Amino acid sequence: MKLGNSENLLQKKQLELDGLLEITRAINQNLADEDLYKVLGFILLGQLGVKSLSVFSYEKNWVEKNSFGNNQTVLTQNVMTFFNRIKTSGVLTKKSDLLFPGFNYIIPIHSDEKNHGIILLGGVKLNDPDLKKKVMFIETLGKIVFSV
């Protein structure tokens, strides 16, 4: 049984390395920002198993850079204010479901107390024992993409 756990951990680490390699290749090929956001989206969808996502970047105002799934987030003043204030990753509450229907997790990408990006995820399995590690990995990928 211990060997099975080791193999599972090895597979997870391989997925993370593959994701980092994909982002690195995209950067080295000088892909346009939009293409980097697409690569990020494919990694999140394919390797981490989320059902839907929206990626937002702050460029004088919040701009949606990538989305997948049937969820549409309208960038109202309330949404933009929420994006500016959020500092930690976490589960979206029922109250925030009015702002972000279909999404259940939010990950801000920030440095120096300034948000550079927001990743909204839908279909996140909140009881996943590896959720914290997955979020840390997404934050790392986000910091790489948003710092370019």
Side-chain angles (χ1 to χ4, degrees):
M1 194 178 287
K2 200 166 193 142
L3 183 60
N5 289 339
S6 296
E7 288 174 358
N8 192 21
L9 179 62
L10 184 61
Q11 287 176 337
K12 289 176 187 177
K13 292 297 178 189
Q14 183 64 46
L15 288 175
E16 289 178 359
L17 286 174
D18 290 347
L20 287 171
L21 181 60
E22 287 179 53
I23 292 290
T24 303
R25 281 185 184 152
I27 291 169
N28 288 339
Q29 293 173 357
N30 292 320
L31 293 182
D33 287 351
E34 291 77 24
D35 294 327
L36 283 175
Y37 295 117
K38 286 179 185 176
V39 170
L40 176 64
F42 289 137
I43 291 168
L44 297 178
L45 292 167
Q47 296 182 0
L48 299 176
V50 299
K51 305 290 184 225
S52 56
L53 66 90
S54 283
V55 178
F56 296 88
S57 177
Y58 187 78
E59 304 167 356
K60 296 184 183 177
N61 287 309
W62 287 101
V63 178
E64 187 173 40
K65 293 296 192 172
N66 188 10
S67 65
F68 181 85
N70 59 359
N71 303 314
Q72 293 293 324
T73 299
V74 179
L75 286 171
T76 64
Q77 188 60 43
N78 287 343
V79 169
M80 290 187 279
T81 300
F82 185 84
F83 282 176
N84 289 330
R85 289 183 180 161
I86 187 123
K87 297 297 177 207
T88 59
S89 299
V91 177
L92 289 167
T93 64
K94 293 289 182 190
K95 183 178 178 182
S96 57
D97 195 42
L98 297 172
L99 294 176
F100 312 110
F103 294 105
N104 64 338
Y105 211 87
I106 187 167
I107 300 173
I109 307 300
H110 58 86
S111 64
D112 301 326
E113 298 301 316
K114 179 186 173 207
N115 283 344
H116 300 283
I118 297 288
I119 301 172
L120 293 172
L121 302 174
V124 173
K125 296 176 182 161
L126 301 176
N127 61 350
D128 182 345
D130 294 326
L131 182 58
K132 186 174 180 177
K133 290 178 186 174
K134 289 179 180 179
V135 169
M136 288 172 51
F137 176 66
I138 294 169
E139 289 171 343
T140 300
L141 288 180
K143 286 179 181 180
I144 293 169
V145 170
F146 285 105
S147 69
V148 172

